[in-house]
Amino acid sequence: MATVHDSYIGVAEESIYGTAVAPARFLEMASEGIAGKNERIESEGWRAGQKVLRRDRFEPNPKGAEGDVKLEVLDGSLGLLLKHCLGSVASGAPSGGFTTHTFTVGDLKGKSLTVQVGRGDVSGAVLPFTYEGGKVTGFEITSAVDGVLGLNLDMDFAKETIGAGAGAYALSVPTYAAGTQLYTFVSASVTVAGTQFGVSDISVKGDNALKTDRYYSGTAGRKKEPLTEGLRKYEFELKGEFDGLVHANRAAAAVAASNLAEIVAVWSTPQGGEFRVVMPFARFDEAPPNFDGAQIIEQSLKGMALEDGTASPITIAYKTKDTAP
């Protein structure tokens, strides 16, 4: 009998936005919060004596689905999601059982995913919920002392299909990449302007600035593919001990160029995998070292990644067992 322990999440890349594809890659998830958006269109008309909305004066108004997925980063299986976080990928040649895929900020148009979540109910059945037209609206990379490198995704979907059906909607049998390992804080290293900064907690957030409410007549209740409007934003926070005035002065500098420095964060696995995040033009906006009782003073460095028109504002190099992202 199946149990909650048989729940799963699987993904596949779509060739046409909103056209479901059977899951081809299964991920180890920490949690997920994807849910359908089932709105209602209600009448504002009035009848004499009416006290409550009439049962025949509303219509269902399905608006797709949205939610978050929390994952632990392994040296395998996650390249496809990173492609949909940033937009562009260039892959190197396989070497020693690993391939490095380099992800940079690029066009997100035409890139969408089908996500299927199998959820185990109390009767012993695993029931599939299939979400098509998946777009990554935002993401966060996290790492802290004693923890695992995490990748959290915020996603938007064109449609939710509940229960098993045919083809892409059939219940999946999950299979997982063999021999993968975790990235943890044990191997983590962070440099600011080429100098090590001892970090106890790091967060890198991305906002893809997608317009997700592209609903129009003639689309049979289905929305058009979300597209980027406005500027994307990539923010960072590095928490560590107060070890001098360098970072405080960088945030307080009166010359714009002096507010900038390169951030490089690297994690590795014992077998040779690597996850490297580079922000060549990180702008430091806050770096307050505040006293909080008789304890070592900590300093939290906050800011955002900028571009110079040539280099990607953020680059993720993922050395993985996967030959394709």
Side-chain angles (χ1 to χ4, degrees):
M1 184 180 75
T3 71
V4 66
H5 304 294
D6 297 297
S7 298
Y8 65 84
I9 187 168
V11 301
E13 192 165 39
E14 299 174 350
S15 56
I16 300 174
Y17 172 74
T19 300
V21 180
R25 189 173 303 193
F26 296 89
L27 309 169
E28 298 177 21
M29 63 174 169
S31 67
E32 56 84 17
I34 304 172
K37 297 172 62 181
N38 300 303
E39 299 182 3
R40 307 289 185 247
I41 300 173
E42 297 181 347
S43 170
E44 294 184 1
W46 191 266
R47 287 191 181 192
Q50 182 176 338
K51 303 292 191 298
V52 177
L53 180 71
R54 287 173 53 88
R55 67 178 181 85
D56 56 356
R57 290 296 182 268
F58 80 93
E59 286 294 334
N61 184 23
K63 305 300 286 284
E66 63 184 11
D68 65 305
V69 180
K70 297 185 185 301
L71 306 166
E72 295 180 338
V73 180
L74 303 167
D75 57 6
S77 302
L78 287 183
L80 179 61
L81 295 180
L82 295 174
K83 174 184 174 182
H84 286 257
C85 286
L86 292 184
S88 294
V89 58
S91 299
S95 176
F98 286 89
T99 302
T100 299
H101 306 287
T102 303
F103 302 90
T104 54
V105 176
D107 197 351
L108 293 168
K109 184 177 181 180
K111 296 180 177 68
S112 61
L113 297 164
T114 296
V115 175
Q116 186 180 88
V117 183
R119 296 164 176 147
D121 74 2
V122 294
S123 72
V126 175
L127 305 174
F129 291 68
T130 305
Y131 303 93
E132 56 200 75
K135 303 285 286 189
V136 177
T137 59
F139 65 89
E140 182 179 16
I141 297 165
T142 62
S143 180
V145 169
D146 298 332
V148 173
L149 180 64
L151 176 64
N152 305 328
L153 306 177
D154 293 320
M155 301 195 69
D156 176 85
F157 299 92
K159 183 183 178 182
E160 175 189 55
T161 299
I162 299 174
Y169 306 103
L171 180 69
S172 296
V173 179
T175 58
Y176 298 91
T180 55
Q181 293 184 337
L182 290 167
Y183 295 95
T184 73
F185 99 101
V186 174
S187 66
S189 171
V190 177
T191 61
V192 177
T195 300
Q196 285 284 340
F197 179 59
V199 172
S200 59
D201 198 339
I202 179 172
S203 167
V204 177
K205 293 182 180 179
D207 180 351
N208 285 328
L210 293 177
K211 180 176 174 59
T212 59
D213 59 346
R214 299 185 67 218
Y215 292 94
Y216 298 94
S217 61
T219 58
R222 298 284 295 278
K223 64 181 174 183
K224 295 183 178 181
E225 177 185 359
L227 300 177
T228 300
E229 60 176 6
L231 296 175
R232 299 191 214 177
K233 182 179 289 187
Y234 304 99
E235 299 176 296
F236 66 87
E237 181 173 6
L238 310 176
K239 294 181 180 179
E241 295 179 348
F242 178 44
D243 61 359
L245 296 176
V246 172
H247 303 304
N249 283 331
R250 182 174 285 119
V255 178
S258 299
N259 299 142
L260 304 175
E262 181 184 58
I263 294 175
V264 179
V266 183
W267 295 261
S268 60
T269 62
Q271 63 186 345
E274 185 176 274
F275 191 94
R276 178 181 295 263
V277 179
V278 179
M279 291 175 278
F281 303 103
R283 189 183 72 190
F284 288 74
D285 297 329
E286 300 178 35
N290 295 121
F291 176 81
D292 185 20
Q295 56 187 349
I296 293 174
I297 294 177
E298 294 188 340
Q299 190 170 26
S300 182
L301 315 181
K302 298 181 182 180
M304 60 190 297
L306 307 181
E307 65 165 308
D308 66 347
T310 302
S312 177
I314 180 171
T315 297
I316 300 175
Y318 182 45
K319 187 178 179 182
T320 167
K321 287 180 169 290
D322 303 319
T323 55

